[in-house]
Amino acid sequence: MKITTIGLDLAKSVFQAHGIDENSKTVLVKRLHRKQMIPFFSKLPPCLIGVEACATAHHWARTLIAMGHEVRLMPPSYVKGYVKRGKSDALDAEAICEAVQRPTMRFVPVKTVEQQGILMAHRTRSLLVRQRTMAANALRAHLAEFGFVANPGIANLVKLADRAFADNDLPSYARRAFEILIRRLAELTEEISMLDRELRAWHAENEASRRLAAIPGVGVITATAIAATVTDPDQFRSGRQFAAWLGLTPQQHSTGGKTRLGGISKQGDRYLRRLLVVGATAVMRHAKRTPSPMTDWVNSLLEKKPFRLVSVALANKLARIAWAILTRGDTYRPYGLPA
């Protein structure tokens, strides 16, 4: 038998493979345990392997490519439409095998080990920031129960805790609980600072990330996240398609020649979308104090649209600028300045 295409359904321990020949006839239906994966595929002649872009997909793609196979990753939501009925590993593998052959299918570029390492640092930093926010909110709420209130901000919270410890009427068990929360806040802040230093070091070495950081509202964190996530900007035909991939465009419900646009889709990379919206919000807060063509556009929209809607519109614009910079290899130039 001559296997030309394989659909591979990934899992933690048990994998499912579905292979066809050049006549699209099924010639392989096989369950594989993790320890059988490398010996099995190393003996196969080079073929096309389709995989859903899920957990461990990039690792297995790099492993199979090193064996001489051609591996294509696909978004799971695009593969789901090819599942005929029910849900099983065999049906999923068959659907993957069929989907990978479609000429209009969209594929996910395989990330390198370095890119995945940078994205892991980003996700870890995001988790630590959430934990620090939770600890700060808990400490602020507990202090308020004893009558200690201060303005928002970590620095003000530390001063508030110092005031509480100076109060001799504070119960000993409450004092110990406050000490634990304050110590945890300090540990999280130090760990976040360490990750920030590593991201800045990678940013200084990456030319694409440095060019992205020149965009208003795009700092080191957002620039490194975009540079590590978007491995091949040419996969997007336009900046509009890139913004739609990030979930920064309205959903369409058009039929019968009538165009109906709904709310923002929020499909795609949630982390990148959040960073761009936060950056756009920062630009809008300083729009009146720092006039420029971009802030003039923002201020004109704010006269007739809600603040949050304008922030998403500006994030859409920032995403399009980022795509243009990555695709053309240019540096950011504000409107009105010569090339």
Side-chain angles (χ1 to χ4, degrees), residues 190-264:
E190 176 58 30
E191 290 165 354
I192 293 169
S193 299
M194 181 186 66
L195 290 174
D196 286 342
R197 289 193 294 270
E198 293 184 358
L199 291 175
R200 283 196 295 268
W202 189 81
H203 169 77
E205 298 174 357
N206 188 276
E207 188 246 347
S209 180
R210 293 197 305 272
R211 287 190 281 111
L212 288 170
I215 305 173
V218 178
V220 173
I221 300 299
T222 307
T224 52
I226 294 175
T229 303
V230 186
T231 56
D232 181 17
D234 291 328
Q235 66 178 310
F236 305 103
R237 294 192 299 270
S238 63
R240 176 180 294 180
Q241 190 181 73
F242 177 59
W245 177 72
L246 291 174
L248 290 169
T249 54
Q251 284 184 328
Q252 277 208 38
H253 302 278
S254 304
T255 183
K258 296 180 180 180
T259 302
R260 296 185 180 90
L261 298 180
I264 298 300

Side-chain angles (χ1 to χ4, degrees), residues 1 3 6-8 15-19 27-47 49 60 64 67 69:
M1 66 180 179
I3 300 176
I6 292 179
L8 181 62
F15 304 76
Q16 183 75 35
H18 182 96
V27 293
L28 173 70
V29 178
K30 188 175 182 65
R31 289 181 62 191
L32 297 166
H33 289 272
R34 175 176 289 273
K35 61 182 180 181
Q36 298 174 312
M37 285 284 289
I38 293 178
F40 176 78
F41 282 100
S42 62
K43 296 177 183 178
L44 284 181
C47 60
I49 301 177
W60 284 113
L64 295 174
M67 298 177 186
H69 299 288

Side-chain angles (χ1 to χ4, degrees), residues 155-177:
N156 293 325
L157 186 59
V158 173
K159 296 177 182 178
L160 185 64
D162 293 339
R163 283 172 44 202
F165 281 119
D167 186 0
N168 295 326
D169 295 334
L170 196 66
S172 60
Y173 32 85
R175 190 180 298 270
R176 284 193 295 271

Side-chain angles (χ1 to χ4, degrees), residues 268-303:
D269 196 309
R270 296 175 59 186
Y271 182 68
L272 279 184
R273 182 173 63 251
R274 176 162 56 86
L275 289 178
L276 286 170
V277 172
V278 169
T281 303
V283 172
M284 293 172 61
R285 287 175 178 169
H286 302 282
K288 294 183 179 180
R289 290 180 290 177
T290 56
S292 67
M294 179 178 288
T295 56
D296 292 342
W297 176 79
V298 168
N299 290 327
S300 65
L301 277 181
L302 285 173
E303 294 176 357

Side-chain angles (χ1 to χ4, degrees), residues 46-215:
C47 60
L48 172 64
I49 301 177
V51 182
E52 286 183 325
C54 55
T56 72
H58 293 275
H59 161 72
W60 284 113
R62 292 191 298 266
T63 302
L64 295 174
I65 289 173
M67 298 177 186
H69 299 288
E70 180 185 358
V71 181
R72 295 180 182 176
L73 304 182
M74 299 167 289
S77 59
Y78 293 170
V79 178
K80 187 176 181 180
Y82 293 92
V83 179
K84 293 181 176 64
R85 177 178 291 186
K87 172 71 174 71
S88 69
D89 293 345
L91 290 174
D92 290 345
E94 182 183 2
I96 293 169
C97 183
E98 184 173 349
V100 74
Q101 303 174 75
R102 299 302 98 199
T104 58
M105 178 57 64
R106 296 177 181 176
F107 301 103
V108 178
V110 179
K111 290 182 173 60
T112 64
V113 174
E114 180 185 14
Q115 289 168 333
Q116 283 198 291
I118 291 298
L119 292 177
M120 180 179 177
H122 272 280
R123 296 306 192 273
T124 303
R125 181 186 181 276
S126 178
L127 173 63
L128 295 179
V129 169
R130 290 198 303 271
Q131 291 179 345
R132 185 176 65 176
T133 302
M134 292 170 63
N137 290 340
L139 179 59
R140 186 181 297 277
H142 292 322
L143 287 172
E145 294 295 331
F146 292 94
F148 298 99
V149 181
N151 294 328
I154 297 293
N156 293 325
L157 186 59
V158 173
K159 296 177 182 178
L160 185 64
D162 293 339
R163 283 172 44 202
F165 281 119
D167 186 0
N168 295 326
D169 295 334
L170 196 66
S172 60
Y173 32 85
R175 190 180 298 270
R176 284 193 295 271
F178 287 147
E179 289 175 352
I180 293 173
L181 287 173
I182 293 172
R183 185 167 60 251
R184 187 57 184 149
L185 273 174
E187 292 172 355
L188 289 169
T189 301
E190 176 58 30
E191 290 165 354
I192 293 169
S193 299
M194 181 186 66
L195 290 174
D196 286 342
R197 289 193 294 270
E198 293 184 358
L199 291 175
R200 283 196 295 268
W202 189 81
H203 169 77
E205 298 174 357
N206 188 276
E207 188 246 347
S209 180
R210 293 197 305 272
R211 287 190 281 111
L212 288 170
I215 305 173

